[in-house]
Amino acid sequence: MIFPKSFELLIQSFRKLPGVGQKSATRYALHLLRDQTNFEELILNLQQAKTQIQSCTVCHNISESELCQICINPNRNPAQICVVEDLKDLIAIESTNNFHGTYHILGGLISPIDRIGPDNLNFQTLVNRLTKIEQSELIMALSPSIEADTTIYYVAKLVQPYNTKLTMISRGISFGYELDFVDEVTLTKSIANRTPYNFENE
Amino acid sequence: MIFPKSFELLIQSFRKLPGVGQKSATRYALHLLRDQTNFEELILNLQQAKTQIQSCTVCHNISESELCQICINPNRNPAQICVVEDLKDLIAIESTNNFHGTYHILGGLISPIDRIGPDNLNFQTLVNRLTKIEQSELIMALSPSIEADTTIYYVAKLVQPYNTKLTMISRGISFGYELDFVDEVTLTKSIANRTPYNFENE
């Protein structure tokens, strides 16, 4: 069927959203045509999000003001900085409700193949933060990969002049995983990095 | 995590799309924040669709002008009118590429429980069409249901004064279905409405 051009363009726009195929995109467009209130509301909320959401000048989290709600929260420890690749990872850690420090979003990982070097990432603002903190801890919370290892190595070199403790989230076998389905690298490392059993942790 | 308000509102808007949950809605919003070109394009295409898409004055299909692309197509038979519930069903039939008549979108079915009576549906425009056609065929292509049967009955009464042949899409057992999984009504009707074997149809 030949759709009107503006309807076709709308479907194409929806198709660019992650995981949305032709069928879902058409359903979304049809739904909006049927429900004009929703249609107007979606346009309005997209426009507002576009104009109001900015990047926190300290940690690069999304925010509607200069500082994000995590950075201005007096209950969060500004000396404990969890370094993440992107907002998605920050949201994942926040949803555990168990981390009470602050974050620093790098905006990617060092990846020479993709031509992403240190200059393309938020390292300068990280160093700026460290200069203002007497004693800090940087927790590198990056999804395990070659690029993550490169980035962690770079950060380790970068923060040497500062009084900061560099840690990494532990790697190993995830809860609920079957040992025989785990890749060899992870399995080898999880044996090499074995931890003593501790009644208190269980 | 406490999201900025405009980000939260955007997620809520996406959640109102059919089949979209919290996780997908958040993914869509995050994707747009990362890709500003897509973000602007989506807003623009939504606005254009909102202002440019109207209803065809003849058949109620979506269109960017007074008449839709099916109604103005000289290769489509205006005297063969396929009556459908909504645009979704029109798209389904068009995608078979085997129907060369025109359509009439009712905008729903008669359903006293949902307080949808004949006045809420596009019957007047249908009658207007019939007055202008010498001899017509109305194909009632409604998904089988009680409401569909009521609507077909109403249409049959409505079009009696006109020289129109009223037909219904055939009901029976869909290709690929297992007989023992078919409901009793369909099975009974498919035996009652059995058709003679015809070498030409196979």
Side-chain angles (χ1 to χ4, degrees), chain A residues 2 5-6 9 13 16 18 20 28 30-31 36 38 40-41 45-47 50 53 64 69 87, chain B residues 2 5-6 9 13 16 18 20 28 30-31 36 38 40-41 45-47 50 53 64 69 87:
Chain A
I2 314 157
K5 193 163 168 267
S6 54
L9 286 173
S13 266
K16 289 184 185 161
V20 177
Y28 296 170
L30 286 174
H31 172 86
Q36 292 290 317
N38 259 350
E40 278 160 29
E41 192 194 282
N45 286 338
L46 278 163
Q47 283 171 329
K50 178 106 187 57
I53 296 176
E64 282 178 358
Q69 281 167 314
L87 180 57
Chain B
I2 314 156
K5 193 163 169 265
S6 53
L9 285 173
S13 266
K16 289 184 184 160
V20 177
Y28 296 170
L30 286 174
H31 171 85
Q36 292 290 316
N38 259 351
E40 278 161 29
E41 191 194 281
N45 287 337
L46 279 163
Q47 283 170 330
K50 179 107 188 56
I53 295 176
E64 283 178 358
Q69 281 166 313
L87 180 57

Side-chain angles (χ1 to χ4, degrees), chain B residues 10-59:
Chain B
L10 179 57
I11 292 175
Q12 280 174 26
S13 266
F14 278 133
R15 285 204 61 172
K16 289 184 184 160
L17 294 174
V20 177
Q22 181 71 20
K23 211 146 192 178
S24 296
T26 311
R27 271 179 81 199
Y28 296 170
L30 286 174
H31 171 85
L32 292 177
L33 285 183
R34 265 201 311 271
D35 189 336
Q36 292 290 316
T37 321
N38 259 351
F39 205 153
E40 278 161 29
E41 191 194 281
L42 177 62
I43 295 178
L44 185 75
N45 287 337
L46 279 163
Q47 283 170 330
Q48 288 198 338
K50 179 107 188 56
T51 52
Q52 291 177 10
I53 295 176
Q54 43 178 293
S55 182
C56 172
T57 52
V58 171
C59 76

Side-chain angles (χ1 to χ4, degrees), chain B residues 45-118:
Chain B
N45 287 337
L46 279 163
Q47 283 170 330
Q48 288 198 338
K50 179 107 188 56
T51 52
Q52 291 177 10
I53 295 176
Q54 43 178 293
S55 182
C56 172
T57 52
V58 171
C59 76
H60 304 278
N61 182 15
I62 50 170
S63 172
E64 283 178 358
S65 47
E66 212 186 318
L67 296 179
C68 77
Q69 281 166 313
I70 295 172
C71 286
I72 57 163
N73 187 339
N75 298 320
R76 312 287 298 232
N77 181 1
Q80 191 180 44
I81 301 171
C82 181
V83 179
V84 291
E85 182 181 343
D86 54 25
L87 180 57
K88 189 167 55 40
D89 292 341
L90 183 156
I91 293 172
I93 296 171
E94 271 299 276
S95 68
T96 67
N97 280 321
N98 270 318
F99 179 68
H100 307 294
T102 53
Y103 294 91
H104 196 83
I105 295 179
L106 292 181
L109 298 175
I110 295 174
S111 173
I113 290 182
D114 304 314
R115 300 200 181 177
I116 302 173

Side-chain angles (χ1 to χ4, degrees), chain A residues 3 16 25 51 66 98 114 135 172:
Chain A
F3 288 126
K16 289 184 185 161
T51 51
E66 212 185 319
N98 269 319
D114 304 313
Q135 197 169 25

Side-chain angles (χ1 to χ4, degrees), chain A residues 98-193:
Chain A
N98 269 319
F99 177 68
H100 307 294
T102 54
Y103 293 92
H104 195 84
I105 295 179
L106 291 181
L109 298 176
I110 296 174
S111 172
I113 290 181
D114 304 313
R115 299 200 182 177
I116 302 173
D119 292 346
N120 307 113
L121 305 172
N122 303 322
F123 288 121
Q124 191 52 52
T125 42
L126 180 62
V127 169
N128 292 348
R129 290 175 77 173
L130 296 182
T131 56
K132 291 174 197 151
I133 305 167
E134 210 169 302
Q135 197 169 25
S136 61
E137 180 186 357
L138 279 194
I139 305 173
M140 301 301 295
L142 308 178
S143 305
S145 70
I146 303 284
E147 290 77 18
D149 286 346
T150 311
T151 308
I152 292 169
Y153 180 80
Y154 179 82
V155 171
K157 288 272 183 192
L158 187 73
V159 303
Q160 261 179 346
Y162 306 96
N163 188 9
T164 187
K165 188 175 136 195
L166 190 72
T167 59
M168 286 163 65
I169 52 165
S170 64
R171 296 181 181 180
I173 295 153
S174 297
F175 192 83
Y177 267 50
E178 303 276 347
L179 264 200
D180 50 346
F181 281 93
V182 171
D183 66 288
E184 291 84 358
V185 178
T186 303
L187 200 52
T188 309
K189 285 203 173 177
S190 79
I191 294 169
N193 300 329

